[in-house]
Amino acid sequence: MHSSSPPSTCSRSWSISEDSLRRYVFHASENCIQELLSASDSVNDGWKVVGVDGNGVEVSKRRSGSLHTFRSRWVLHSVSPQQFITVANAIDAAKEWDGDLVQGKYIKDLEENLSIVWLRYGERSKPLFRKREFIVYERRETMDDGTLVVAVASLPKEIAAGLQPKQNNSIRGLLMQSGWVVEKLRNDSCIVTYIAQLDPAGWLPKCFVNRLNTKLVMIIENLKKQVVACPTRRGPT
């Protein structure tokens, strides 16, 4: 935005202070964390199992408004929660486990565990991701019982536009309350739950949107391969 432009109630982007942005994201992510912890609970609570693959990844879904929220769960043996989160949070390496991702970068670090991230999917991505981008916050928290939570969701479009102008010929999608819950088990193992709800924006039949969500949760398998291939690293404290 040009500083000389007069303020307008019809403006499509907002320029807010870093302090205001931090406070907004902190409160929004608090709610997201609670939703993720609730969704990761093993109690049924409306979840319907839609498949279990040969590697033991269970995928289930639950209706949330006009879309479905998808959840995948997997026990990872001999993988600690910190090992998994260290790989899952490595934006630079995300293309290794998400073949549709063209570029990911941190736009701004608001706190040690709170960041704004830009994700872009290009022309060569699969049809449902093609030319889409997302501006999301990422908050990483360790609960009192040692459970690790990574909460991710899109910023409101006006705030996102003020932080990162939309790329030409791209569509800005919306990632609803999504993220990881990683619970520690015995023998340095863990159970990983990934919750995702995505509105890719632009017109798409609902069945395609739900198929896209299914793809998002299945990336756990690719992440497991990355985790076991990487040497044990000490993650952030």
Side-chain angles (χ1 to χ4, degrees):
M1 291 175 54
H2 297 291
S3 58
S4 58
S5 300
S8 169
T9 57
C10 296
S11 175
R12 294 188 178 183
S13 65
W14 295 342
S15 179
I16 64 174
S17 69
E18 185 164 316
D19 183 60
S20 295
L21 178 63
R22 181 185 298 106
R23 284 188 280 111
Y24 169 81
V25 172
F26 182 84
H27 289 296
S29 60
E30 280 287 309
N31 185 49
C32 186
I33 287 173
Q34 295 307 313
E35 289 291 333
L36 292 174
L37 289 171
S38 175
S40 70
D41 195 294
S42 58
V43 176
N44 183 27
D45 196 24
W47 291 100
K48 178 181 178 181
V49 176
V50 296
V52 180
D53 78 352
N55 292 315
V57 179
E58 177 190 278
V59 178
S60 52
K61 68 179 180 179
R62 182 174 66 183
R63 181 170 291 280
S64 301
S66 61
L67 299 177
H68 284 93
T69 299
F70 282 80
R71 178 182 76 178
S72 77
R73 296 164 64 84
W74 198 12
V75 175
L76 300 184
H77 298 286
S78 301
V79 175
S80 71
Q82 193 60 63
Q83 277 180 280
F84 181 84
I85 286 296
T86 298
V87 174
N89 266 2
I91 291 295
D92 292 342
K95 287 185 286 186
E96 298 295 328
W97 48 264
D98 185 352
D100 290 320
L101 183 66
V102 171
Q103 186 177 5
K105 72 174 183 179
Y106 285 100
I107 297 175
K108 187 183 293 288
D109 291 322
L110 299 175
E111 292 181 0
E112 184 179 358
N113 67 336
L114 189 61
S115 305
I116 306 299
V117 181
W118 174 53
L119 303 172
R120 183 171 69 88
Y121 299 84
E123 292 185 3
R124 296 184 180 181
S125 301
K126 293 182 177 66
L128 297 181
F129 287 83
R130 192 165 295 151
K131 297 183 179 179
R132 281 180 168 79
E133 60 179 27
F134 302 86
I135 307 297
V136 302
Y137 67 72
E138 178 191 79
R139 180 173 171 185
R140 306 163 294 282
E141 287 291 341
T142 303
M143 302 294 103
D144 291 341
D145 63 357
T147 297
L148 299 178
V149 182
V150 180
V152 181
S154 287
L155 294 177
K157 60 182 180 180
E158 297 87 356
I159 296 177
L163 290 172
Q164 178 79 31
K166 185 173 71 68
Q167 295 284 301
N168 291 336
N169 301 319
S170 67
I171 299 171
R172 185 155 286 180
L174 293 175
L175 187 66
M176 311 306 182
Q177 292 179 334
S178 304
W180 304 95
V181 177
V182 187
E183 303 166 70
K184 182 176 176 59
L185 301 176
R186 295 180 179 178
N187 301 321
D188 212 22
S189 299
C190 64
I191 181 168
V192 176
T193 304
Y194 183 40
I195 294 97
Q197 185 188 44
L198 181 65
D199 179 355
W203 186 86
L204 284 175
K206 188 181 297 184
C207 63
F208 285 112
V209 175
N210 288 336
R211 198 176 302 166
L212 181 151
N213 278 329
T214 303
K215 179 266 179 189
L216 283 176
V217 297
M218 295 305 289
I219 63 177
I220 279 187
E221 290 192 27
N222 290 336
L223 269 167
K224 169 66 182 298
K225 295 175 184 177
Q226 293 298 312
V227 170
V228 298
C230 290
T232 303
R233 289 181 291 178
R234 187 179 183 82
T237 56

